[in-house]
Amino acid sequence: MCGIVGYIGKQEATPIIIEGLRRLEYRGYDSAGLVVLRENDLQTRKKKGKIDEGLARLVLESPLTGTTGIGHTRWATHGAPTDENSHPHFDQTGRIGIVHNGVIENFDQIKDRLLSEGHTFQSATDTEVLAHLIGEYYDKPRSRNGESLHPLTDAVMGALREVIGTYGIGVVCSEHPGILVGARRGSPLIVGVGDGENFLTSDTSAVVAHTRQVIYLNDYDVITLTPERFTVNSLGTDSAKVQISQIEFGAEASEKGDFPHYMLKEIFEQPRTVENALRGRVDKEEVTAKFGGLNLSTAELRAIDQIVILACGTSWHAALVGEYLFEEFAHIPVEVEYASEFRYRNAPIEKNTLVLAITQSGETADTLAGVRESKRRGHPVLAICNVVGSTIAREAHGGIYLHAGPEIGVASTKAFTSQVTILTMLAVLMGRVRMLSSRRGLQVIKALEEVPAQMEKILAQKDHIKAIAQKYAHVEDFFFLGRQYSFPVALEGALKLKEISYIHAEGYPAAEMKHGPIAMIDEKTPTVILIPTDSLYDKTISNLQEIKARKGPLIAVANEGDSRIASMVEDVIYIPATLDPIFPLLGVIPLQLLAYYIAVERGCDVDKPRNLAKSVTVE
Ligand code: G6P
């Protein structure tokens, strides 16, 4: 949610910042802007709209020069997406420029005070208030508690001590062209360490083309960068700890390649990303899984009486699959919680409860808050994350990475299948320290290993799925139905369609339709029905007939070899048969492709759907 790119070095800052912002645009695309220092002159450009339509054109028409600068791509929280509300924002004197991700909760009180002192504001944003506050501290006599701080760092630290809320910020000052200051609390901020140059960013993909050495800043860290040096101070009680890490994936992992959209590229990556999720984690001898970062002994795993899973969005749907898996393989009761609800509920949780946080980005604010609340209550917290070094990955007691590579498409696809793969293996592991037989465990592992090849077979049907998509691209409502393991997949299919095509869609347990939603069925409302040849096949056929009787068009996702289904529905997408618990990994692929091709047919911006952001770092 919002992206930051800062540069300080010997090269021209503008192209580096613009290119970095392009790579971060999936985090927010309401507006973009930058400020570059030419000696003591702060030159700024900012524009509403996507980078290539707004900021990049503006910079082309009126170029900037200078080797220090910061840029921002915005997902609006306070203030509408306008040129004025775009970042950077400046203090009262115009000497200090800042970009900011996050929300300053007490900005109203600070603004009132500053207004009474004669400050005037150009925008409706909380960020401008923070800029003014830093400016005020910059002009105050400083109390440095014996520390020798740079005056800009000192001003930033003074202002941030007054602030309630979350922030990842980059700050420059016209009086100090060789200095860039950053700080974080609740919003990610990373330093890219170069040779005679340094970078500041909210996401490694913006700097990976320049350096693979990074420092993941911690909450309350304040960093002061020059081209040659970095110094970290802390606003917290502990002193700052600095560790340089290596980025796992190169710049090419964030490229679209020959695909027209990131989403399509990521859908097609799934055979490989599932392999990556399994790599080195299968123990066929013992019929179990091995996870290096679990930090839980067998005895501790055996002592778990309940699992609570916290997640949002697509990750929440993966969590629902997890519920079925843990209950079936390990007989452990599971609660799947929307992290945003969990954090404010006083949910009674059993003593021996393991909390699982599932999150692609590792930065989702509600999931992070749920993790912190769970830790406070004394529960072990395990994170299933994609982004290495992300806040949740670092704050959890243990974790499992997806190793799926950067997911850029705002609508999550490959993260879902990797999360489900890992949940399946984790459920096997939990089952094997309890009651799961080695025979059943081995069946599951073997079925998982077949998934990449089976996914390839489904992906090869893209033209067939595209033809179905074209047929239904202009309807107003869609239903997605499934039972048991198919039900979370139905929810995910509906979410994908809503997110990128703006068609109203609902996912339902197939048998629940008759308790209300079936009233909406008519000849203009198609239903996707997930109907693998499982133990509930005949029951699902009955649900299908109920829709057919009301003239609702039907698209079935069925197993190869199901000869009955074709005569009952308008369209069928056949997928390879697998075990019931493995169905979500295959059943979701046609639904991702269906949503994708419908959105393309409707002319929607698939990778940057309206109103959405990839990583939601505000409540
Ligand atoms: C946003 C994204 C979704 C994602 C959700 C949770 O809403 O647009 O695609 O599923 O956040 O994100 P997380 O990174 O925690 O999985």
Side-chain angles (χ1 to χ4, degrees), residues 311-316 358-365 367 392 407 409-413 415 419 492 495-496 499 612-616:
C312 302
T314 289
S315 298
W316 190 83
I358 305 183
T359 164
Q360 186 285 130
S361 62
E363 302 292 349
T364 302
T367 311
I392 293 174
E407 191 180 67
V410 168
S412 183
T413 52
Q419 288 163 345
E492 177 58 8
L495 179 64
K496 285 294 87 89
E499 281 179 304
L612 300 182
K614 182 73 186 159
S615 164
V616 181

Side-chain angles (χ1 to χ4, degrees), residues 257-286:
D258 294 334
F259 288 93
H261 296 100
Y262 281 108
M263 182 180 176
L264 193 62
K265 177 197 173 215
E266 288 157 7
I267 290 173
F268 273 81
E269 276 177 338
Q270 291 175 106
R272 300 292 80 76
T273 49
V274 166
E275 274 173 4
N276 287 349
L278 288 174
R279 185 164 296 119
R281 289 165 167 171
V282 177
D283 181 345
K284 276 206 188 137
E285 281 288 296
E286 299 290 325

